[in-house]
């Protein structure tokens, strides 16, 4: 694996842990695709640093469990904004 890929995977992991960020948020910050972020943290990171990989997995699992709530809030805000017009 190339050095810059390993460095990116570690930086992405640190960001996700620090900000409790979703894959989508992280991808936009780092300017890469969601697929790249996901591959970095699920496939590459465990080989590089299993301890950090475990912490990232906990954050991503929490985000996945809460995503239906965030989706509902976004829909509610959308329709509230439409009704104000």
């Amino acid at each position: 694996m190339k050095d810059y890929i390993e460095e990116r995977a570690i930086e992405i992991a640190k960001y996700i842990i620090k900000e409790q960020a979703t894959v989508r948020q992280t991808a936009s910050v780092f300017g890469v695709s969601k697929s790249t972020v996901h591959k970095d943290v699920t496939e590459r990171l465990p080989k590089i640093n299993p301890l950090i990989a475990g912490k990232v997995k906990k954050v991503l699992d929490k985000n996945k469990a809460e995503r239906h709530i965030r989706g509902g809030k976004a829909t509610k805000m959308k329709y509230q904004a439409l009704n104000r017009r």
Side-chain angles (χ1 to χ4, degrees):
M1 189 178 328
K2 298 197 185 289
D3 289 339
Y4 75 93
I5 294 175
E6 288 184 11
E7 289 174 18
R8 181 186 67 212
I10 291 170
E11 289 301 313
I12 284 173
K14 287 179 182 177
Y15 179 79
I16 289 173
I17 293 167
K18 181 181 174 202
E19 301 294 328
Q20 299 290 299
T22 64
V23 170
R24 187 179 298 251
Q25 291 167 336
T26 305
S28 68
V29 167
F30 284 86
V32 295
S33 70
K34 294 184 304 181
S35 300
T36 300
V37 171
H38 192 265
K39 184 166 184 136
D40 280 354
V41 298
T42 59
E43 293 179 20
R44 296 179 177 135
L45 191 61
K47 296 174 186 170
I48 300 167
N49 190 329
L51 182 64
I52 292 177
K55 292 178 182 179
V56 170
K57 182 168 176 25
K58 286 182 184 177
V59 172
L60 295 181
D61 287 347
K62 180 181 134 283
N63 287 339
K64 187 175 182 181
E66 294 173 349
R67 70 180 172 192
H68 67 284
I69 296 168
R70 286 191 304 274
K73 285 182 181 178
T75 302
K76 181 179 178 180
M77 289 173 56
K78 173 185 171 183
Y79 285 104
Q80 284 176 341
L82 288 174
N83 289 334
R84 290 185 194 143
R85 291 184 183 176

